[in-house]
Amino acid sequence: MGMKKQTALMNHWQLCQYLRKLHLPQAVPPPDLATLKLLQDAHLKYVPYENLDILSGRLTSLEHDDMFAKIIMKNRGGICFELNGLYNWLLESLGYKVTSYAARFIDRLEEYQIRRHRVMCIELEDKRYLTDVGVNSESPRCPLEMADGKVQSDGISEYKFSRDPFFGWLLWQKERRKPWKRLFGFTEEPQLDMDFIPACIYTDLHPDSPLNKGKAISVFREDCNITIRGNLLKFYLGGRVKYRYTINTKYDLKGVLWEYFGIAVDYSLPNGGIDQND
């Protein structure tokens, strides 16, 4: 099984619609580091991470037209393969030199996980930068230079890269008042859109997938990360949850999705979207 050949770049109308979604001027910007910082920051703030399609039984599509229609035209979000897949297309269309890699999360230290995350490397002025808009928790808010051991800050957390014989590049995070921890690792085999289809199928359908059992929704603000995990709305600031609110009904969920994430779901979720085992 393959995908349609995806060599065409976004047209001017599509670029303008995308930039409008990001609340940025609709004049096509230059492909430099300043623009890359603006794009990543805006993407995290205005395009939520969400797995509502998976919970409704819909399979994830990585076709460019499908992702554009869902995320840009219907004001939805998506999982990492959709968010970073569409973002990759945007970056290429703006003239960036982009290479995608497949990454492994390392949030469970005792286990090796499959490669179920997509990241992008951008080459600019003899340097390489990691950019990522598809993590559903506090994560880098700006491009990070891929330099071994260099400590970098996005204003909220500090980050650094190290090298590992198995994981390849390891990305570390240090939140306020917390020790360094590993986020994910990736090796440098270039990936095409179609290479992420197996991981998408795993995410959608496999019994071990963490995303087909309960809500995982996230969006960023200047000083916090707002999430829904199960039936809990959480505000994560300064390395810890400062506020939490229990979502009790489908009407409550509908209001929360619109107010905080800008999502208006046009179909019914199982149990009204209220997790039964929360």
Side-chain angles (χ1 to χ4, degrees), residues 109-263:
L109 297 180
E110 73 280 4
E111 299 178 9
Y112 287 103
Q113 300 185 46
I114 73 165
R115 300 176 192 234
R116 57 178 182 85
H117 186 52
R118 178 175 185 165
V119 297
M120 280 79 64
C121 173
I122 308 295
E123 293 185 35
L124 283 171
E125 299 178 353
D126 299 322
K127 294 182 179 180
R128 296 193 299 164
Y129 296 88
L130 184 81
T131 186
D132 183 357
V133 296
V135 179
N136 68 344
S137 59
E138 186 62 50
S139 57
R141 296 164 175 257
C142 66
L144 299 175
E145 183 183 348
M146 290 173 59
D148 194 353
K150 181 178 179 179
V151 176
Q152 305 170 67
S153 174
D154 66 356
I156 301 293
S157 302
E158 291 184 322
Y159 296 92
K160 66 180 179 181
F161 289 100
S162 66
R163 304 302 297 271
D164 180 88
F166 176 75
F167 289 107
W169 287 95
L170 274 176
L171 178 62
W172 296 74
Q173 179 191 59
K174 187 181 187 307
E175 297 178 278
R176 198 173 305 164
R177 298 184 296 273
K178 291 186 177 182
W180 286 98
K181 67 177 181 181
R182 300 179 300 178
L183 291 184
F184 55 72
F186 59 93
T187 52
E188 295 184 67
E189 296 87 20
Q191 304 291 305
L192 304 174
D193 288 344
M194 68 181 69
D195 293 325
F196 295 101
I197 292 176
C200 254
I201 295 172
Y202 170 91
T203 300
D204 289 346
L205 300 175
H206 198 279
D208 291 339
S209 168
L211 293 180
N212 58 15
K213 299 171 181 64
K215 295 184 293 297
I217 305 173
S218 171
V219 76
F220 287 69
R221 295 292 184 267
E222 288 293 339
D223 61 346
C224 72
N225 175 226
I226 305 174
T227 64
I228 296 177
R229 296 290 184 272
N231 295 328
L232 285 177
L233 174 68
K234 301 179 182 180
F235 295 78
Y236 190 81
L237 299 88
R240 62 190 180 95
V241 176
K242 290 287 184 72
Y243 310 99
R244 67 181 69 213
Y245 171 77
T246 301
I247 301 168
N248 293 307
T249 69
K250 63 180 182 180
Y251 304 106
D252 202 6
L253 175 62
K254 183 178 180 180
V256 166
L257 287 174
W258 178 251
E259 180 177 358
Y260 293 104
F261 303 94
I263 297 172

Side-chain angles (χ1 to χ4, degrees), residues 47 51 53 58 63 76 107 143 157 169 197 205 216 252 262 266:
V47 186
N51 64 334
D53 273 6
R58 298 186 177 192
E63 296 288 350
R76 289 285 305 281
D107 52 340
S157 302
W169 287 95
I197 292 176
L205 300 175
D252 202 6
D266 60 356

Side-chain angles (χ1 to χ4, degrees), residues 58-69:
R58 298 186 177 192
L59 295 179
T60 301
S61 172
L62 300 186
E63 296 288 350
H64 284 169
D65 289 345
D66 292 340
M67 294 188 295
F68 187 89

